[in-house]
Amino acid sequence: MYTVTAFENDGTILLNDSFEAANDEDGKATGLAMLHEAGHDHKGARIVRQGQLIYFERCKLPGKLKGTSS
């Protein structure tokens, strides 16, 4: 069982669905397709299986982050 979650910069959850896949490769592909279909391609997102992170994309925060050189 896999879970795909998409979220806004402020932590608001946009998508939180579960699905089944044969393996992690299929799970990642299915999760990314779900994100694309829901229009959340470039939002913060994660795909997990039993607590193991399969895919992660962090939120795009505007401006400079505190304590970083970026």
Side-chain angles (χ1 to χ4, degrees):
M1 184 61 68
Y2 292 79
T3 302
V4 59
T5 306
F7 42 90
E8 289 285 2
N9 292 347
D10 65 2
T12 303
I13 295 176
L14 303 171
L15 174 71
N16 193 34
D17 283 333
S18 296
F19 60 94
E20 291 189 24
N23 55 49
D24 289 349
E25 185 177 315
D26 289 346
K28 180 178 176 182
T30 300
L32 290 174
M34 291 171 73
L35 289 168
H36 177 73
E37 289 171 13
H40 301 312
D41 293 283
H42 301 291
K43 301 287 184 182
R46 68 179 172 238
I47 301 168
V48 297
R49 176 185 47 81
Q50 297 177 338
Q52 181 180 359
L53 191 62
I54 305 301
Y55 172 84
F56 181 79
E57 183 171 341
R58 55 181 211 157
C59 292
K60 308 300 189 263
L61 297 174
K64 186 177 176 183
L65 295 176
K66 258 185 166 178
T68 67
S69 60
S70 60

mmCIF file of all heavy atoms in Angstrom, residues 12-42:
data_model
loop_
_atom_site.group_PDB
_atom_site.id
_atom_site.type_symbol
_atom_site.label_atom_id
_atom_site.label_comp_id
_atom_site.label_asym_id
_atom_site.label_seq_id
_atom_site.Cartn_x
_atom_site.Cartn_y
_atom_site.Cartn_z
ATOM 1 N N THR A 12 -0.732 23.179 3.880
ATOM 2 C CA THR A 12 -2.077 22.754 3.521
ATOM 3 C C THR A 12 -2.002 21.521 2.618
ATOM 4 O O THR A 12 -1.308 21.535 1.601
ATOM 5 C CB THR A 12 -2.833 23.875 2.779
ATOM 6 O OG1 THR A 12 -2.857 25.037 3.600
ATOM 7 C CG2 THR A 12 -4.250 23.454 2.428
ATOM 8 N N ILE A 13 -2.706 20.468 2.985
ATOM 9 C CA ILE A 13 -2.704 19.239 2.196
ATOM 10 C C ILE A 13 -3.673 19.381 1.032
ATOM 11 O O ILE A 13 -4.846 19.700 1.218
ATOM 12 C CB ILE A 13 -3.065 18.021 3.064
ATOM 13 C CG1 ILE A 13 -1.974 17.806 4.106
ATOM 14 C CG2 ILE A 13 -3.240 16.771 2.198
ATOM 15 C CD1 ILE A 13 -2.238 16.700 5.088
ATOM 16 N N LEU A 14 -3.160 19.144 -0.174
ATOM 17 C CA LEU A 14 -3.950 19.260 -1.395
ATOM 18 C C LEU A 14 -4.442 17.910 -1.887
ATOM 19 O O LEU A 14 -5.480 17.819 -2.534
ATOM 20 C CB LEU A 14 -3.107 19.913 -2.498
ATOM 21 C CG LEU A 14 -2.534 21.283 -2.167
ATOM 22 C CD1 LEU A 14 -1.542 21.707 -3.239
ATOM 23 C CD2 LEU A 14 -3.656 22.297 -2.032
ATOM 24 N N LEU A 15 -3.661 16.868 -1.625
ATOM 25 C CA LEU A 15 -3.986 15.521 -2.087
ATOM 26 C C LEU A 15 -3.412 14.544 -1.077
ATOM 27 O O LEU A 15 -2.272 14.711 -0.636
ATOM 28 C CB LEU A 15 -3.351 15.278 -3.466
ATOM 29 C CG LEU A 15 -3.463 13.874 -4.050
ATOM 30 C CD1 LEU A 15 -4.905 13.594 -4.472
ATOM 31 C CD2 LEU A 15 -2.535 13.717 -5.247
ATOM 32 N N ASN A 16 -4.185 13.554 -0.701
ATOM 33 C CA ASN A 16 -3.725 12.530 0.228
ATOM 34 C C ASN A 16 -4.500 11.253 -0.079
ATOM 35 O O ASN A 16 -5.576 11.032 0.465
ATOM 36 C CB ASN A 16 -3.924 12.969 1.686
ATOM 37 C CG ASN A 16 -3.191 12.084 2.651
ATOM 38 O OD1 ASN A 16 -2.117 11.580 2.339
ATOM 39 N ND2 ASN A 16 -3.746 11.905 3.828
ATOM 40 N N ASP A 17 -3.948 10.447 -0.980
ATOM 41 C CA ASP A 17 -4.635 9.239 -1.434
ATOM 42 C C ASP A 17 -3.743 8.013 -1.277
ATOM 43 O O ASP A 17 -2.521 8.119 -1.364
ATOM 44 C CB ASP A 17 -5.026 9.349 -2.909
ATOM 45 C CG ASP A 17 -6.245 10.224 -3.134
ATOM 46 O OD1 ASP A 17 -7.075 10.331 -2.212
ATOM 47 O OD2 ASP A 17 -6.374 10.785 -4.230
ATOM 48 N N SER A 18 -4.361 6.872 -1.096
ATOM 49 C CA SER A 18 -3.651 5.593 -1.015
ATOM 50 C C SER A 18 -3.944 4.776 -2.257
ATOM 51 O O SER A 18 -5.004 4.908 -2.869
ATOM 52 C CB SER A 18 -4.095 4.815 0.221
ATOM 53 O OG SER A 18 -3.739 5.517 1.386
ATOM 54 N N PHE A 19 -2.991 3.919 -2.619
ATOM 55 C CA PHE A 19 -3.163 3.047 -3.783
ATOM 56 C C PHE A 19 -2.241 1.853 -3.630
ATOM 57 O O PHE A 19 -1.327 1.852 -2.810
ATOM 58 C CB PHE A 19 -2.868 3.806 -5.090
ATOM 59 C CG PHE A 19 -1.466 4.345 -5.180
ATOM 60 C CD1 PHE A 19 -0.463 3.613 -5.810
ATOM 61 C CD2 PHE A 19 -1.145 5.577 -4.639
ATOM 62 C CE1 PHE A 19 0.834 4.098 -5.898
ATOM 63 C CE2 PHE A 19 0.151 6.077 -4.716
ATOM 64 C CZ PHE A 19 1.140 5.327 -5.347
ATOM 65 N N GLU A 20 -2.474 0.828 -4.422
ATOM 66 C CA GLU A 20 -1.636 -0.369 -4.403
ATOM 67 C C GLU A 20 -0.780 -0.418 -5.654
ATOM 68 O O GLU A 20 -1.197 0.039 -6.725
ATOM 69 C CB GLU A 20 -2.494 -1.621 -4.306
ATOM 70 C CG GLU A 20 -3.181 -1.752 -2.963
ATOM 71 C CD GLU A 20 -3.868 -3.089 -2.773
ATOM 72 O OE1 GLU A 20 -3.476 -4.072 -3.437
ATOM 73 O OE2 GLU A 20 -4.795 -3.140 -1.957
ATOM 74 N N ALA A 21 0.425 -0.959 -5.517
ATOM 75 C CA ALA A 21 1.333 -1.140 -6.646
ATOM 76 C C ALA A 21 2.165 -2.386 -6.396
ATOM 77 O O ALA A 21 2.359 -2.798 -5.247
ATOM 78 C CB ALA A 21 2.224 0.078 -6.818
ATOM 79 N N ALA A 22 2.668 -2.981 -7.460
ATOM 80 C CA ALA A 22 3.429 -4.226 -7.371
ATOM 81 C C ALA A 22 4.807 -4.032 -6.741
ATOM 82 O O ALA A 22 5.321 -4.920 -6.065
ATOM 83 C CB ALA A 22 3.576 -4.844 -8.753
ATOM 84 N N ASN A 23 5.415 -2.856 -6.966
ATOM 85 C CA ASN A 23 6.757 -2.587 -6.437
ATOM 86 C C ASN A 23 6.974 -1.079 -6.353
ATOM 87 O O ASN A 23 6.106 -0.304 -6.760
ATOM 88 C CB ASN A 23 7.831 -3.264 -7.315
ATOM 89 C CG ASN A 23 7.729 -2.852 -8.772
ATOM 90 O OD1 ASN A 23 7.648 -1.673 -9.087
ATOM 91 N ND2 ASN A 23 7.708 -3.837 -9.658
ATOM 92 N N ASP A 24 8.134 -0.668 -5.845
ATOM 93 C CA ASP A 24 8.397 0.761 -5.651
ATOM 94 C C ASP A 24 8.459 1.537 -6.964
ATOM 95 O O ASP A 24 8.025 2.688 -7.027
ATOM 96 C CB ASP A 24 9.691 0.962 -4.866
ATOM 97 C CG ASP A 24 9.566 0.555 -3.408
ATOM 98 O OD1 ASP A 24 8.427 0.304 -2.945
ATOM 99 O OD2 ASP A 24 10.602 0.481 -2.726
ATOM 100 N N GLU A 25 8.977 0.916 -8.008
ATOM 101 C CA GLU A 25 9.050 1.597 -9.308
ATOM 102 C C GLU A 25 7.646 1.898 -9.827
ATOM 103 O O GLU A 25 7.363 3.016 -10.268
ATOM 104 C CB GLU A 25 9.810 0.721 -10.310
ATOM 105 C CG GLU A 25 10.047 1.381 -11.650
ATOM 106 C CD GLU A 25 10.863 0.507 -12.574
ATOM 107 O OE1 GLU A 25 11.876 -0.062 -12.125
ATOM 108 O OE2 GLU A 25 10.472 0.400 -13.751
ATOM 109 N N ASP A 26 6.765 0.916 -9.759
ATOM 110 C CA ASP A 26 5.373 1.121 -10.172
ATOM 111 C C ASP A 26 4.664 2.091 -9.232
ATOM 112 O O ASP A 26 3.836 2.894 -9.664
ATOM 113 C CB ASP A 26 4.602 -0.201 -10.205
ATOM 114 C CG ASP A 26 5.036 -1.107 -11.350
ATOM 115 O OD1 ASP A 26 5.726 -0.622 -12.278
ATOM 116 O OD2 ASP A 26 4.694 -2.307 -11.305
ATOM 117 N N GLY A 27 4.974 2.012 -7.946
ATOM 118 C CA GLY A 27 4.377 2.917 -6.971
ATOM 119 C C GLY A 27 4.737 4.366 -7.242
ATOM 120 O O GLY A 27 3.890 5.254 -7.185
ATOM 121 N N LYS A 28 6.007 4.602 -7.566
ATOM 122 C CA LYS A 28 6.450 5.963 -7.884
ATOM 123 C C LYS A 28 5.764 6.457 -9.154
ATOM 124 O O LYS A 28 5.263 7.581 -9.193
ATOM 125 C CB LYS A 28 7.966 6.005 -8.047
ATOM 126 C CG LYS A 28 8.489 7.387 -8.371
ATOM 127 C CD LYS A 28 10.009 7.390 -8.487
ATOM 128 C CE LYS A 28 10.521 8.750 -8.908
ATOM 129 N NZ LYS A 28 11.976 8.759 -9.065
ATOM 130 N N ALA A 29 5.718 5.615 -10.190
ATOM 131 C CA ALA A 29 5.085 6.006 -11.454
ATOM 132 C C ALA A 29 3.603 6.307 -11.256
ATOM 133 O O ALA A 29 3.094 7.311 -11.775
ATOM 134 C CB ALA A 29 5.276 4.912 -12.494
ATOM 135 N N THR A 30 2.910 5.468 -10.514
ATOM 136 C CA THR A 30 1.482 5.678 -10.264
ATOM 137 C C THR A 30 1.258 6.953 -9.459
ATOM 138 O O THR A 30 0.380 7.757 -9.776
ATOM 139 C CB THR A 30 0.872 4.477 -9.524
ATOM 140 O OG1 THR A 30 1.052 3.308 -10.328
ATOM 141 C CG2 THR A 30 -0.604 4.686 -9.234
ATOM 142 N N GLY A 31 2.058 7.152 -8.412
ATOM 143 C CA GLY A 31 1.933 8.348 -7.584
ATOM 144 C C GLY A 31 2.192 9.625 -8.367
ATOM 145 O O GLY A 31 1.460 10.614 -8.236
ATOM 146 N N LEU A 32 3.229 9.622 -9.201
ATOM 147 C CA LEU A 32 3.522 10.797 -10.020
ATOM 148 C C LEU A 32 2.409 11.066 -11.021
ATOM 149 O O LEU A 32 2.067 12.225 -11.277
ATOM 150 C CB LEU A 32 4.866 10.624 -10.737
ATOM 151 C CG LEU A 32 6.097 10.671 -9.834
ATOM 152 C CD1 LEU A 32 7.356 10.341 -10.630
ATOM 153 C CD2 LEU A 32 6.232 12.011 -9.141
ATOM 154 N N ALA A 33 1.814 10.016 -11.572
ATOM 155 C CA ALA A 33 0.681 10.185 -12.488
ATOM 156 C C ALA A 33 -0.513 10.794 -11.752
ATOM 157 O O ALA A 33 -1.202 11.668 -12.296
ATOM 158 C CB ALA A 33 0.295 8.849 -13.112
ATOM 159 N N MET A 34 -0.749 10.361 -10.519
ATOM 160 C CA MET A 34 -1.845 10.919 -9.720
ATOM 161 C C MET A 34 -1.607 12.402 -9.447
ATOM 162 O O MET A 34 -2.539 13.211 -9.515
ATOM 163 C CB MET A 34 -1.996 10.147 -8.409
ATOM 164 C CG MET A 34 -2.513 8.739 -8.600
ATOM 165 S SD MET A 34 -2.454 7.751 -7.091
ATOM 166 C CE MET A 34 -3.797 8.492 -6.156
ATOM 167 N N LEU A 35 -0.365 12.766 -9.126
ATOM 168 C CA LEU A 35 -0.027 14.176 -8.901
ATOM 169 C C LEU A 35 -0.271 14.995 -10.164
ATOM 170 O O LEU A 35 -0.838 16.087 -10.113
ATOM 171 C CB LEU A 35 1.436 14.314 -8.469
ATOM 172 C CG LEU A 35 1.769 13.823 -7.071
ATOM 173 C CD1 LEU A 35 3.274 13.746 -6.879
ATOM 174 C CD2 LEU A 35 1.141 14.726 -6.012
ATOM 175 N N HIS A 36 0.148 14.460 -11.305
ATOM 176 C CA HIS A 36 -0.028 15.152 -12.581
ATOM 177 C C HIS A 36 -1.511 15.333 -12.909
ATOM 178 O O HIS A 36 -1.936 16.435 -13.277
ATOM 179 C CB HIS A 36 0.675 14.381 -13.695
ATOM 180 C CG HIS A 36 0.490 14.995 -15.042
ATOM 181 N ND1 HIS A 36 1.132 16.157 -15.416
ATOM 182 C CD2 HIS A 36 -0.277 14.619 -16.096
ATOM 183 C CE1 HIS A 36 0.759 16.478 -16.645
ATOM 184 N NE2 HIS A 36 -0.091 15.547 -17.077
ATOM 185 N N GLU A 37 -2.297 14.276 -12.766
ATOM 186 C CA GLU A 37 -3.729 14.339 -13.066
ATOM 187 C C GLU A 37 -4.450 15.352 -12.182
ATOM 188 O O GLU A 37 -5.406 15.994 -12.614
ATOM 189 C CB GLU A 37 -4.365 12.965 -12.905
ATOM 190 C CG GLU A 37 -3.976 11.986 -13.983
ATOM 191 C CD GLU A 37 -4.435 10.565 -13.690
ATOM 192 O OE1 GLU A 37 -5.269 10.366 -12.779
ATOM 193 O OE2 GLU A 37 -3.943 9.648 -14.374
ATOM 194 N N ALA A 38 -3.989 15.507 -10.946
ATOM 195 C CA ALA A 38 -4.617 16.448 -10.013
ATOM 196 C C ALA A 38 -4.066 17.869 -10.176
ATOM 197 O O ALA A 38 -4.519 18.791 -9.506
ATOM 198 C CB ALA A 38 -4.408 15.972 -8.575
ATOM 199 N N GLY A 39 -3.061 18.041 -11.063
ATOM 200 C CA GLY A 39 -2.496 19.377 -11.298
ATOM 201 C C GLY A 39 -1.518 19.819 -10.235
ATOM 202 O O GLY A 39 -1.310 21.017 -10.037
ATOM 203 N N HIS A 40 -0.882 18.874 -9.548
ATOM 204 C CA HIS A 40 0.047 19.209 -8.466
ATOM 205 C C HIS A 40 1.491 18.838 -8.814
ATOM 206 O O HIS A 40 2.282 18.496 -7.952
ATOM 207 C CB HIS A 40 -0.367 18.498 -7.181
ATOM 208 C CG HIS A 40 -1.742 18.838 -6.721
ATOM 209 N ND1 HIS A 40 -2.218 20.128 -6.635
ATOM 210 C CD2 HIS A 40 -2.783 18.049 -6.348
ATOM 211 C CE1 HIS A 40 -3.478 20.116 -6.209
ATOM 212 N NE2 HIS A 40 -3.838 18.863 -6.038
ATOM 213 N N ASP A 41 1.838 18.933 -10.096
ATOM 214 C CA ASP A 41 3.177 18.556 -10.558
ATOM 215 C C ASP A 41 4.303 19.258 -9.809
ATOM 216 O O ASP A 41 5.308 18.640 -9.481
ATOM 217 C CB ASP A 41 3.336 18.877 -12.049
ATOM 218 C CG ASP A 41 2.442 18.024 -12.912
ATOM 219 O OD1 ASP A 41 2.786 16.846 -13.129
ATOM 220 O OD2 ASP A 41 1.408 18.541 -13.346
ATOM 221 N N HIS A 42 4.173 20.539 -9.552
ATOM 222 C CA HIS A 42 5.280 21.311 -8.982
ATOM 223 C C HIS A 42 4.979 21.796 -7.567
ATOM 224 O O HIS A 42 5.485 22.826 -7.142
ATOM 225 C CB HIS A 42 5.627 22.471 -9.908
ATOM 226 C CG HIS A 42 6.007 22.001 -11.273
ATOM 227 N ND1 HIS A 42 7.178 21.311 -11.520
ATOM 228 C CD2 HIS A 42 5.362 22.064 -12.457
ATOM 229 C CE1 HIS A 42 7.242 20.996 -12.796
ATOM 230 N NE2 HIS A 42 6.147 21.429 -13.382
#
